[in-house]
Amino acid sequence: MSRQRPGTPTLEEVAARAGVGRGTVSRVINNADGVRDSTRRAVRQAIAELGYVPNLAARSLAGHRADAIALVMTEPDWRLFGEPFFTEIVHAVGDALTDTPVQLLLTLVRTDAERQRFVEYARGGRVDGVLLMSVHAEDPLPDMLAKAGLPTVMLGRRSGDESVTYVDADNAGGARGAVTHLLNGGRTTIGAIGGPPDMYVAQCRLRGYREALELAGVEVRPSLVVEGGDFTEDSGHRAATDLLARHPELDAVFAASDTMAAGALRALRAAGRRVPQDVAVIGFDDFQPAHPTDPPLTTVRQPLEEIGRTLVRLLLEEMEDSPVAWRHVILRTELVLRDSG
């Protein structure tokens, strides 16, 4: 039998405060059926007033809850865990869980065998829900988890017809605003550095780039778009070098991530181009690259803390309520003006 620390409230004290039996308190804590709403509210109020903390180990042994969620990254390359986007998301989700009893487990799922193994692991009661990030277009893992009945929320989405609950930023709108800013500043030859073509986030950011040009009556030239970046600094460097070779008259670059924008700055510096005098540069994310950029980077800010809070809130709600319908949340972005564009 577990022992409470001296001075901490007990299950019996919660029961006495709520005017119910010990078993009723246990059923409320474990979200079991058969408890009237009025009784459930009284027990929860007693828990809050007394500051009672349930015996989580006992609940796990009883098979009710693991009190853990998994944050799953589906990229095949371990190195991407070191990119600012992923580390910032982990921090944001962790901060959102600070006042809960839920533990955060990080894992990487790359192959069909690993997908199946993770689904079996999660179905075995080791986690109560799953957060997915960096999911590519044809990845079956979200559907496998949904079929297994596991509460799942995605950061981003696989397509415009996503059937799993997700939280996303307004990627197309943010890119459209960034390119409109460049056009309003008199830039006429604006290159775009895109991310992986099979990721919807990359598609949306390039769509926003094209929409801004079309709205301004500017021709959308395929030769000014380099796709296939992987959101790393090296891929941004290669893309900017390619753009300069194709268009020496280039006077602006929109990159689909800050890390790729940092690589573009490096390529422009090597080519003797001044930023922003000769070429303006705008990134996306507002996550600090591995090294501070020179000049400081103008970028589209994702509301990172709000994304983390919303991911956690939706997942905890799905874990508690098991909604039959998925939910889609798109959060607003903001153009942050600095010295590069």
Side-chain angles (χ1 to χ4, degrees), residues 170-181 183 190 192 200-216 220 225 254 256 284 300:
D170 182 6
N171 293 293
R176 188 166 56 247
V179 177
T180 298
H181 170 76
L183 291 165
I190 304 173
Y200 193 62
V201 59
Q203 297 170 25
C204 288
R205 292 177 187 180
L206 280 182
R207 187 174 80 235
Y209 160 84
R210 295 186 177 102
E211 288 173 352
L213 295 177
E214 290 168 354
L215 287 169
V220 179
V225 178
F254 167 69
F284 204 116
V300 179

Side-chain angles (χ1 to χ4, degrees), residues 56-194:
L56 303 180
R59 287 175 60 192
S60 296
L61 287 172
H64 295 294
R65 281 287 184 87
D67 287 302
I69 63 174
L71 177 58
V72 180
M73 178 175 163
T74 57
E75 285 289 347
D77 193 339
W78 278 101
R79 292 176 301 171
L80 291 178
F81 265 123
E83 292 297 324
F85 173 79
F86 298 108
T87 56
E88 293 289 344
I89 285 296
V90 171
H91 289 154
V93 170
D95 288 346
L97 287 169
T98 296
D99 295 327
T100 76
V102 178
Q103 296 293 314
L104 182 64
L105 309 178
L106 304 179
T107 188
L108 182 66
V109 174
R110 301 162 295 180
T111 66
D112 287 340
E114 288 177 347
R115 290 185 188 94
Q116 190 61 48
R117 193 157 58 241
F118 174 74
V119 171
E120 293 303 319
Y121 174 88
R123 287 180 62 185
R126 295 177 176 88
V127 297
D128 302 312
V130 179
L131 295 174
L132 292 176
M133 60 191 297
S134 193
V135 180
H136 292 250
E138 302 301 323
D139 195 329
L141 182 58
D143 301 317
M144 294 167 68
L145 292 167
K147 185 177 180 181
L150 289 160
T152 301
V153 179
M154 295 171 57
L155 171 56
R157 43 190 158 150
R158 292 169 292 177
S159 73
D161 299 318
E162 184 57 67
S163 58
V164 174
T165 294
Y166 67 76
V167 179
D168 206 357
D170 182 6
N171 293 293
R176 188 166 56 247
V179 177
T180 298
H181 170 76
L182 292 170
L183 291 165
N184 291 341
R187 308 293 174 164
T188 59
T189 308
I190 304 173
I193 299 175

Side-chain angles (χ1 to χ4, degrees), residues 297-341:
L297 187 64
T298 293
T299 187
V300 179
R301 174 181 292 160
Q302 295 199 64
L304 188 58
E305 291 185 4
E306 187 179 1
I307 287 173
R309 287 196 305 269
T310 307
L311 284 167
V312 169
R313 176 176 60 81
L314 293 182
L315 184 59
L316 293 178
E317 288 175 359
E318 293 211 357
M319 286 159 51
E320 296 293 337
D321 301 329
S322 299
V324 295
W326 33 255
R327 290 169 291 175
H328 296 165
V329 177
I330 298 177
L331 300 174
R332 191 170 304 207
T333 59
E334 174 190 2
L335 182 62
V336 179
L337 299 178
R338 299 195 180 99
D339 296 341
S340 70

